[in-house]
Amino acid sequence: MMAAGTAASRGRKVLLLEKNKRLGAKLIISGGGRCNLTNAEESVDFLLSNYGKAKGFLHSSFSQFGVKDTFNFFAGLGLPLVVQARKRVFPKSEKATDVFMVLEKYMQAGGVRIKCLSEVDGIAGKHGKIHHVCVNGEKISADSFIIATGGKSHPETGSTGDGFKWLHQLGHTVVDANPTIVPLAVKEKWVKSLSGVSLSAIKVTFFVDGKSKIKKKGKILFTHFGVSGPMILNLAGRVNKLLHEGEVKMEIDCFPDTDLGALDKRVTNFFNINKNKSLNNILPEICPAGLAKSIMQLLSFNTEAKVHSVTRDQRKEIVHLLKALPATVTGLMGADRAVITDGGVSIKEIDGKTMRSRLYDNLFITGDMLHISRPSGGYSLQLCWTTGYVAGINA
Ligand SMILES: Cc1cc2nc3c(=O)[nH]c(=O)nc-3n(C[C@H](O)[C@H](O)[C@H](O)COP(=O)(O)OP(=O)(O)OC[C@H]3O[C@@H](n4cnc5c(N)ncnc54)[C@H](O)[C@@H]3O)c2cc1C
């Protein structure tokens, strides 16, 4: 949509083909329907380092359309943006549909022709030029072709990796797309029974063979299949590598800023004040909200007893669980639950100034199609605005 609108704003005649009934199915579910559309990191150098090995490749395109341009673009079309925690940027209305409407307006202003329910089922090219695409048996030719068919995450939105197949057939190197910003599947029932509960300011540690491999503080969200939330999503790629080393255990520290001894003291004091109450009733007051039931399931003793009868070892067991809730990671969830997939078209075969294919002179490749890793936090959509704009300027 960004590429089409930009090309049209230069007076180009643009036809946008979309296989769904409507455009923007993934955009309108982004950021939980609020659309985290960029990241307000001021240092371009730091911002680009979030794109891993593609940092150098993206320098030119970000200098043509960077984060500031995203702010100006959306505000200029009547959609002011706000910066929230971790520099994530949302529309002030917090509605992804408003972002979509701005892009629609942009395309309308330039006279983009939009044909929905038009599934492209092939692209023909020879001697460094694309000649036509095929849609429902019809050949459509053009001077330039911009491919923005997305990655493979949430395929129900329309991104099923079609573009990867065509480009592979045309001789481009396409790295297999696997889920990367994706929740983790966990074995234990207690995790699944907490579905919907989220804990802020916890620390999670991942182990292989008892050795600590990754530690991170942040927020965790329990789901009916495991764990999610921005911190987990961003760690999934690294956890995936650990899964190749052996069984991955994780521990959740609910009080990362309090050491074991201090927490034990706090619990002891609390127990002294509440001696005659039953443990069941007071556990919710020392556990993070929603967690008491699971802690009770994990304890090796009956929690119906009065607090004064809780032994030292039993109290230590409670404190230990609060510091190190154990779970086993069985894998990454699939593409259907991923925010993005990694993999895609090798950027070595694309000119970073224009998004033009180095193999086909009139072919441009953008957005999730590119083999560029990045974390969550608005970096994916910024990549779309930037590469879409640059392709639209050069097509
Ligand atoms: C649940 C979820 C939440 C997200 N939240 C955020 C967020 O808050 N911030 C952020 O930065 N990123 C977020 N992302 C990632 C972001 O949405 C994507 O990076 C972005 O949508 C990619 O845009 P794209 O144009 O490259 O591809 P897509 O948005 O996938 O669009 C591709 C389009 O091509 C169409 N298409 C595919 N094949 C064909 C074909 N053969 N013929 C015709 N049309 C075809 C599809 O139907 C689709 O409409 C989220 C992703 C998901 C899944």
Side-chain angles (χ1 to χ4, degrees), residues 197-259:
V197 172
S198 73
L199 301 178
S200 305
I202 56 98
K203 184 173 86 184
V204 65
T205 310
F206 294 90
F207 300 85
V208 177
D209 292 334
K211 278 191 203 129
S212 151
K213 297 280 187 175
I214 306 171
K215 282 183 191 170
K216 188 98 185 158
K217 275 189 191 173
K219 190 172 167 181
I220 196 166
L221 170 70
F222 295 96
T223 69
H224 64 279
F225 48 76
V227 287
S228 187
M231 173 183 66
I232 296 291
L233 294 173
N234 286 328
L235 288 177
R238 289 172 67 193
V239 173
N240 195 27
K241 286 190 186 127
L242 295 185
L243 286 161
H244 294 289
E245 289 178 27
E247 189 178 51
V248 179
K249 297 275 187 191
M250 65 185 273
E251 282 181 3
I252 300 165
D253 182 349
C254 304
F255 297 93
D257 299 324
T258 312
D259 69 27

Side-chain angles (χ1 to χ4, degrees), residues 104-385:
E104 241 186 353
K105 200 158 126 184
Y106 185 47
M107 290 191 293
Q108 267 165 13
V112 174
R113 255 183 75 211
I114 300 167
K115 268 182 109 177
C116 287
L117 293 173
S118 300
E119 180 164 357
V120 175
D121 53 23
I123 296 195
K126 235 191 213 169
H127 309 307
K129 281 255 179 243
I130 300 294
H131 297 289
H132 62 263
V133 298
C134 299
V135 183
N136 306 328
E138 186 193 348
K139 287 180 184 169
I140 300 179
S141 348
D143 290 335
S144 297
F145 297 81
I146 301 174
I147 309 208
T149 47
K152 281 187 172 181
S153 67
H154 278 258
E156 79 284 1
T157 62
S159 359
T160 46
D162 299 6
F164 296 147
K165 272 183 258 160
W166 309 326
L167 291 177
H168 175 70
Q169 282 160 5
L170 287 167
H172 265 288
T173 308
V174 179
V175 180
D176 270 354
N178 291 305
T180 166
I181 301 185
V182 64
L184 301 178
V186 167
K187 186 165 85 185
E188 285 74 11
K189 276 200 189 116
W190 71 263
V191 172
K192 296 170 191 170
S193 69
L194 283 177
S195 179
V197 172
S198 73
L199 301 178
S200 305
I202 56 98
K203 184 173 86 184
V204 65
T205 310
F206 294 90
F207 300 85
V208 177
D209 292 334
K211 278 191 203 129
S212 151
K213 297 280 187 175
I214 306 171
K215 282 183 191 170
K216 188 98 185 158
K217 275 189 191 173
K219 190 172 167 181
I220 196 166
L221 170 70
F222 295 96
T223 69
H224 64 279
F225 48 76
V227 287
S228 187
M231 173 183 66
I232 296 291
L233 294 173
N234 286 328
L235 288 177
R238 289 172 67 193
V239 173
N240 195 27
K241 286 190 186 127
L242 295 185
L243 286 161
H244 294 289
E245 289 178 27
E247 189 178 51
V248 179
K249 297 275 187 191
M250 65 185 273
E251 282 181 3
I252 300 165
D253 182 349
C254 304
F255 297 93
D257 299 324
T258 312
D259 69 27
L260 205 66
L263 187 64
D264 189 36
K265 232 183 199 167
R266 223 153 91 184
V267 172
T268 307
N269 290 340
F270 187 73
F271 278 12
N272 284 337
I273 302 166
N274 294 283
K275 269 185 199 147
N276 294 320
K277 296 192 177 153
S278 74
L279 185 58
N280 270 349
N281 290 338
I282 65 148
L283 264 182
E285 292 181 50
I286 55 171
C287 297
L291 218 68
K293 237 185 182 170
S294 304
I295 300 253
M296 286 182 220
Q297 282 167 18
L298 290 168
L299 288 169
S300 64
F301 56 92
N302 188 344
T303 53
E304 277 162 19
K306 294 277 189 235
V307 171
H308 61 72
S309 67
V310 174
T311 66
R312 183 172 174 275
D313 283 351
Q314 288 173 337
R315 187 190 71 233
K316 293 233 179 248
E317 197 180 324
I318 296 170
V319 173
H320 186 76
L321 277 180
L322 291 172
K323 288 292 290 173
L325 271 168
T328 316
V329 179
T330 51
L332 267 54
M333 294 303 292
D336 54 334
R337 300 208 189 256
V339 172
I340 55 164
T341 46
D342 64 2
V345 181
S346 166
I347 53 174
K348 286 188 188 141
E349 296 167 0
I350 296 166
D351 170 22
K353 286 195 193 87
T354 57
M355 295 302 134
R356 190 192 302 272
S357 155
R358 293 193 191 279
L359 276 55
Y360 295 86
D361 204 35
N362 60 345
L363 175 67
F364 298 81
I365 302 162
T366 70
D368 274 8
M369 295 230 43
L370 301 165
H371 182 211
I372 296 179
S373 69
R374 67 269 178 189
S376 73
Y379 297 99
S380 293
L381 284 171
Q382 181 58 53
L383 185 68
C384 292
W385 313 138

